[in-house]
């Protein structure tokens, strides 16, 4: 009771505050997303994501070197193919854009961890994450046939040198199918970072500009989770763990810190939070208008993810955050 208890005593000096700080954000917590496109010498800024670019493979390699030099341990690669079709050929072809970029990065920066997004929406003509029933305009993906595509994609990505496979399509049984495919292909040691709790969120809008993956019709609510649900996230992670997931992801992060916390409490596996495009773009827009202090609000947001239980943070702020943390 006051005046005996005075919590402000431990806030009186910067070094003292440092000593009693409960959570610490470091560059080792960060993963930087990159978007690979065909061609050479291409660095096309994404209109709705200032500071984020679609990059040709040579530029991806330059970014990878910079990321590694900043102390960020990993990138995650997304691909935009030259051509799209209903079989998502660009996702699983051995010369697909992500496969080519992965090999190039691993040759140039072998100690940088390359995570690959294992999904199909960037590669299908309709923009959905798998096979659709002929004539179906609702966006209801055929689950089991799609698993075979994901399996082929994961094996192809592993062959190209990927360190971690990250399936994001929210198909039932996708972790089990991918784990079986990797094991059969001799990639038993490649871990799976599952997008275990991925919500049908409005925060993804700018990403669809970056990855050119907006659905041509319908939406993704038949396979991504309802934002109203929390208990369902625990069911999803339980299933993915049973199927062989090595790490779990919650996406988005900012409006879902309660889910990050609940997932962390329910498992001993590493938990990743995806600080998604809409979250990034809101801060960038406010900062460009002078409404917020970008450095302080970014670091506070990322620290909030750590406090909520995230072990890893996928964020477009990663390079800036690393500079601020290092500086």
């Amino acid at each position: 009771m006051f005046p005996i208890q005075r919590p402000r005593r431990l806030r009186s000096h910067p070094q003292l505050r440092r000593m009693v700080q409960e959570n610490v954000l470091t560059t080792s917590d960060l993963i930087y997303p990159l978007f690979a496109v065909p061609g050479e010498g291409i660095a096309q800024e994404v209109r709705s994501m200032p500071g984020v670019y679609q990059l040709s493979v040579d530029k991806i390699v330059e970014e990878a070197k910079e990321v590694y030099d900043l102390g960020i341990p990993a990138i995650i690669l997304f691909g935009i193919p030259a051509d799209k079709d209903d079989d998502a050929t660009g996702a699983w072809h051995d010369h697909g854009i992500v496969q080519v970029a992965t090999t190039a990065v691993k040759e140039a920066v072998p100690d940088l961890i390359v995570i690959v997004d294992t999904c199909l929406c960037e590669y299908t003509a309709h923009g959905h994450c798998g096979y659709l029933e002929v004539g179906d305009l609702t966006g209801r993906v055929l689950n089991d046939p799609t698993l075979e595509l994901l399996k082929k994609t994961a094996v192809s990505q592993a062959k190209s040198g990927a360190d971690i496979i990250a399936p994001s399509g929210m198909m039932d049984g996708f972790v089990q199918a991918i784990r079986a495919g990797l094991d059969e292909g001799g990639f038993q040691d490649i871990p799976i970072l599952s997008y275990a709790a991925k919500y049908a969120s409005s925060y993804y809008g700018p990403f669809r500009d970056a990855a050119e993956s907006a659905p041509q019709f319908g939406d993704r609510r038949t396979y991504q989770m309802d934002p109203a649900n929390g208990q369902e996230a625990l069911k999803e992670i339980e299933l993915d763990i049973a199927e062989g997931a090595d790490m779990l992801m919650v996406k988005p992060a900012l409006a879902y810190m309660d889910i990050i916390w609940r997932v962390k409490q329910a498992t001993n596996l590493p938990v990743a939070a995806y600080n998604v495009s809409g979250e990034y773009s809101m801060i960038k827009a406010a900062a460009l208008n002078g409404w917020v202090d970008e450095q302080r609000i970014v670091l506070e947001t990322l620290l909030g993810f750590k406090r909520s239980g995230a072990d890893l943070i996928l964020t477009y702020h990663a390079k800036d955050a690393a500079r601020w943390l290092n500086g």
Side-chain angles (χ1 to χ4, degrees):
M1 297 290 291
F2 179 82
I4 297 172
Q5 291 296 327
R6 292 179 181 264
R8 289 183 58 189
R9 290 174 184 145
L10 300 183
R11 303 172 195 155
S12 60
H13 191 281
Q15 296 289 32
L16 183 53
R17 291 195 295 272
R18 238 179 100 209
M19 290 168 61
V20 299
Q21 189 173 359
E22 296 175 28
N23 294 280
V24 178
L25 180 71
T26 74
T27 57
S28 297
D29 301 318
L30 306 175
I31 298 168
Y32 189 50
L34 290 170
F35 298 93
V37 296
E40 189 173 346
I42 296 171
Q44 177 67 42
E45 189 170 28
V46 179
R47 179 185 56 82
S48 56
M49 299 180 70
V52 173
Y53 295 81
Q54 294 178 336
L55 301 168
S56 53
V57 172
D58 56 318
K59 295 293 186 180
I60 290 275
V61 170
E62 291 177 13
E63 283 286 286
K65 291 176 179 176
E66 182 180 358
V67 165
Y68 183 74
D69 289 343
L70 285 169
I72 298 168
I75 60 172
I76 182 166
L77 286 176
F78 299 88
I80 301 98
D83 300 297
K84 304 187 180 195
D85 56 46
D86 289 344
D87 290 321
T89 306
W92 49 264
H93 196 283
D94 286 345
H95 299 291
I97 184 62
V98 162
Q99 286 80 351
V100 172
T102 298
T103 301
V105 169
K106 291 305 294 183
E107 288 176 352
V109 198
D111 289 335
L112 182 70
I113 295 296
V114 176
I115 306 168
V116 287
D117 180 76
T118 306
C119 195
L120 307 174
C121 60
E122 298 106 304
Y123 307 94
T124 56
H126 45 67
H128 284 284
C129 300
Y131 283 123
L132 301 182
E133 190 78 58
V134 175
D136 184 357
L137 297 180
T138 67
R140 184 177 179 85
V141 174
L142 298 174
N143 193 92
D144 295 6
T146 296
L147 296 182
E148 291 304 310
L149 282 182
L150 291 171
K151 188 175 176 180
K152 282 202 300 184
T153 300
V155 172
S156 175
Q157 291 170 336
K159 286 179 180 176
S160 72
D163 296 294
I164 298 173
I165 301 297
S168 60
M170 289 297 287
M171 295 296 110
D172 293 340
F174 68 162
V175 172
Q176 179 176 296
I178 288 170
R179 183 74 270 160
L182 291 173
D183 291 354
E184 291 163 8
F187 299 106
Q188 296 91 341
D189 294 330
I190 299 289
I192 295 174
L193 166 58
S194 174
Y195 287 64
K198 180 179 179 181
Y199 286 83
S201 172
S202 299
Y203 283 98
Y204 302 150
F207 175 90
R208 290 167 183 169
D209 290 338
E212 300 179 11
S213 61
Q216 299 302 301
F217 49 82
D219 56 42
R220 295 177 178 152
R221 294 180 183 276
T222 65
Y223 43 104
Q224 295 177 357
M225 290 174 54
D226 187 334
N229 294 352
Q231 193 65 29
E232 184 183 6
L234 302 184
K235 177 182 180 180
E236 288 281 5
I237 67 154
E238 184 179 307
L239 292 170
D240 284 5
I241 292 170
E243 291 176 16
D246 301 283
M247 295 179 280
L248 305 166
M249 191 189 300
V250 176
K251 180 181 180 183
L254 192 60
Y256 296 85
M257 287 199 198
D258 62 315
I259 305 300
I260 299 169
W261 174 259
R262 291 173 72 176
V263 168
K264 187 61 180 177
Q265 295 304 301
T267 176
N268 291 320
L269 295 184
V271 175
Y274 200 140
N275 180 207
V276 299
S277 59
E279 299 165 7
Y280 169 86
S281 294
M282 288 191 300
I283 288 178
K284 292 298 286 189
L288 288 168
N289 278 284
W291 298 334
V292 298
D293 181 318
E294 183 175 1
Q295 176 175 339
R296 293 184 65 182
I297 202 168
V298 167
L299 293 179
E300 181 179 340
T301 300
L302 299 181
L303 188 59
F305 300 145
K306 285 279 289 186
R307 191 185 65 248
S308 69
D311 301 292
L312 306 167
I313 303 169
L314 292 80
T315 178
Y316 305 97
H317 296 292
K319 287 201 304 179
D320 287 336
R323 292 188 188 102
W324 296 326
L325 292 169
N326 293 335

